[in-house]
Amino acid sequence: MAGMRFSPEDSPEANQHLQLPQQQLQTGREVASDDDRSVAADSWSIKSDYGSTLDDEQRHADAAEALSSAANFRPASDYSSDKDEPDAETSMLGLQSYWDAAYLDELANFREHGHVGEIWFGTDVMDTVISWTKSLCTEVSQGHIPNHGGEPKPQSVEQDEKYLSCWSVLDIGTGNGLLLQELSKQGYNPRLCLFTDLTGTDYSEGAIDLARSLADRDGFSNIKFLVDDILETKLDRQFQLVMDKGTLDAIGLHPDGPIKRIMYWDSVSKLLAPGGILVITSCNHTKDELVQEVENFNQRNIAISQEPSATKDQETHRDHPPFRYLNHVRTYPTFMFGGSVGSRVATVAFLRN
């Protein structure tokens, strides 16, 4: 939903080596003005936000307890609270009021001018994510788990038809829904639409209204769009492919980001079917940082499974952690900074055990 902002006309490569300084943004505002949103977005070239305004005290308490009990399995800087970490980066972009107002503007622009709105991370990254994910799903469907040394190999159309026709897809924080539109288009041929079960969710009603309007205009009536918060999801089914392009980034910038990130992983682990794939695209974290966060989540679940009060479902994590690293995109442009080679975006896939 959120991430680096590019209009369809902008070239993402033009800014790939730039990171503008972070502007200190107020987090207590209930409503953001147009100028506030413009300044926030322009000053936030790498960061983005997708917060949640949960009132469920018990869920927060459970996550806080998990955060405390798992402290021995992660670096102190990973999930420390705002009080423990005075330099924690939060912003108004973590508030739902910001995104509600932003998508109302984009919906109005669509109705008046036909604009699709922002394309998070840019079109080139979106196209890379889709084509790479499609190849990865095909290999996994064939029983070929990619090794860590190479890219998934592109498959022929015939192979795609055979192995991808039954994949169900959930896009978390779907925003304007263009990721699912492009996934549907790339998986289409006159005989078969390969990814036929497509669902996009967002906690902003304005985002869902925009996504539905764009899908209706562009002829993608097969895509379902639902108002749903990943942190307190009401979805009662599982998906074989879950995609996240900027949502985890944003959750981490909420004032309660450390707790909400744990809630995120708990929810995603329930929504992703066994043997399914989670694909996360991030502009805030490297591949290694995402892998480490998943390992921290796995270790927390192992610790919980060893407690006397553990349920049968929790006990299964003792020998089978929820996730394992599968692969990552290696074709993004890189740059040198401080003697280290990096990329402005990372896409990493994890397999649900």
Side-chain angles (χ1 to χ4, degrees), residues 5 74 117 162 177 205 212 234 243 247 274 282 292 327:
R5 300 170 65 110
R74 69 196 72 197
K162 179 179 179 180
E205 291 187 18
R212 287 171 177 166
K234 301 300 189 296
M243 304 190 73
T247 299
S282 169
Q292 183 60 56
N327 210 334

Side-chain angles (χ1 to χ4, degrees), residues 29-37 92 97-99 101-102 105:
R29 299 180 183 176
E30 292 300 322
V31 178
S33 69
D34 291 341
D35 289 341
D36 288 335
R37 289 196 301 274
M92 62 190 295
S97 58
Y98 173 89
W99 293 110
D105 285 348

Side-chain angles (χ1 to χ4, degrees), residues 102-267:
Y103 279 112
L104 283 178
D105 285 348
E106 294 200 350
L107 187 59
N109 286 333
F110 166 74
R111 289 170 176 168
E112 185 174 354
H113 306 290
H115 294 168
V116 300
E118 302 288 351
I119 298 178
W120 305 111
F121 300 105
T123 55
D124 287 349
V125 169
M126 181 172 66
D127 291 342
T128 297
V129 169
I130 292 168
S131 60
W132 181 85
T133 299
K134 180 179 174 182
S135 296
L136 180 65
C137 291
T138 302
E139 286 208 348
V140 171
S141 295
Q142 293 174 298
H144 301 156
I145 303 300
N147 60 46
H148 296 174
E151 290 287 294
K153 298 178 181 179
Q155 305 296 319
S156 69
V157 172
E158 289 73 22
Q159 288 173 315
D160 289 340
E161 290 178 2
K162 179 179 179 180
Y163 294 107
L164 296 184
S165 59
C166 61
W167 279 74
S168 56
V169 183
L170 173 65
D171 181 25
I172 300 171
T174 193
N176 58 18
L178 291 186
L179 179 69
L180 290 177
Q181 282 199 29
E182 294 301 318
L183 183 63
S184 182
K185 284 193 292 187
Q186 288 209 11
Y188 177 81
N189 68 66
R191 290 176 294 166
L192 183 66
C193 188
L194 304 178
F195 290 103
T196 56
D197 185 357
L198 303 172
T199 302
T201 63
D202 203 296
Y203 74 165
S204 173
E205 291 187 18
I208 295 303
D209 287 343
L210 177 61
R212 287 171 177 166
S213 297
L214 288 168
D216 289 342
R217 183 195 70 177
D218 299 335
F220 292 94
S221 59
N222 60 305
I223 303 176
K224 297 182 290 292
F225 291 106
L226 306 171
V227 177
D228 187 72
D229 187 339
I230 181 60
L231 301 186
E232 53 175 4
T233 182
K234 301 300 189 296
L235 298 178
D236 59 357
R237 59 169 296 190
Q238 292 184 316
F239 299 84
Q240 292 169 292
L241 173 63
V242 174
M243 304 190 73
D244 173 343
K245 186 161 66 72
T247 299
L248 181 61
D249 284 350
I251 289 174
L253 293 179
H254 187 277
D256 294 328
I259 291 177
K260 290 180 181 295
R261 291 177 78 97
I262 291 181
M263 296 168 67
Y264 168 94
W265 286 107
D266 283 336
S267 291

